[in-house]
């Protein structure tokens, strides 16, 4: 249960941090990176009867869920695979890099206006957003695991 608590808290904080960063980038540059982050139009496009704010809340909730699932995977790997306990930072970096790579399929699949798959500035901003995710994932997990007294011996 404590892992679920950790995953929910870190998933919410890290997804909010990356969302805020990309929202600010989109507001100042016009590059649709926040739109890309929350975009699921290639999976589901709501009918006209669904209010836009309800749909946006659904998109954000889905983003939080994905971040929480990434944290769950991270916690599982570092606590259940004892040989990987000492490689926590590398594993957080790898998971964050995999999340960064979603830029390419998301830009290709998007039906709305998003940056091009070859837009180097947008790719760099997306990368920085996932570096923010990495720092939240790794350091908040370290802090919370110390707070609830999780170590490699107790996991």
């Amino acid at each position: 249960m404590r892992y679920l608590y950790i995953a929910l808290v870190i998933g919410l904080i890290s997804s909010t941090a990356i969302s805020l960063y990309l929202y600010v980038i989109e507001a100042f540059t016009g590059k649709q990176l926040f739109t890309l982050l929350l975009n699921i139009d290639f999976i589901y496009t709501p009918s006209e009867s669904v209010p836009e704010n309800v749909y946006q809340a659904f998109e954000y909730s889905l983003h939080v869920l994905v971040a929480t699932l990434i944290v769950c995977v991270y916690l599982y790997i570092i606590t259940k695979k004892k040989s990987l306990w000492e490689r926590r930072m590398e594993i957080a970096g790898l998971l964050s890099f995999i999340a960064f790579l979603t830029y390419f399929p998301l830009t290709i699949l998007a039906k709305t206006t998003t940056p091009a798959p070859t837009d180097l500035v947008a790719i760099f901003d997306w990368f920085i957003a996932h570096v923010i995710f990495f720092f939240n994932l790794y350091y908040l997990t370290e802090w919370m695991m110390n707070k609830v007294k999780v170590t490699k011996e107790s996991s």
Side-chain angles (χ1 to χ4, degrees), residues 67-106:
T68 301
L69 289 174
I70 292 171
V71 178
C72 286
V73 168
Y74 176 67
L75 290 171
Y76 177 80
I77 290 171
I78 67 171
T79 59
K80 301 301 181 202
K81 308 289 184 188
K82 301 217 185 290
S83 61
L84 297 176
W85 176 260
E86 298 300 325
R87 306 211 53 170
R88 296 184 307 277
M89 184 177 277
E90 292 93 337
I91 294 165
L94 177 63
L95 290 172
S96 300
F97 184 73
I98 291 168
F100 156 74
L101 291 177
T102 62
Y103 175 85
F104 302 101
L106 288 176

Side-chain angles (χ1 to χ4, degrees), residues 46-58:
S47 66
E48 304 251 343
S49 63
V50 176
E52 187 174 341
N53 60 343
V54 171
Y55 184 64
Q56 289 172 338
F58 172 72

Side-chain angles (χ1 to χ4, degrees), residues 18 27 47 51-52 59 63 66 79 81 84 92 95 122 127 142 146:
I18 195 172
S47 66
E52 187 174 341
E59 287 179 316
H63 174 62
V66 168
T79 59
K81 308 289 184 188
L84 297 176
L95 290 172
F127 177 77
E142 291 292 305
N146 284 331

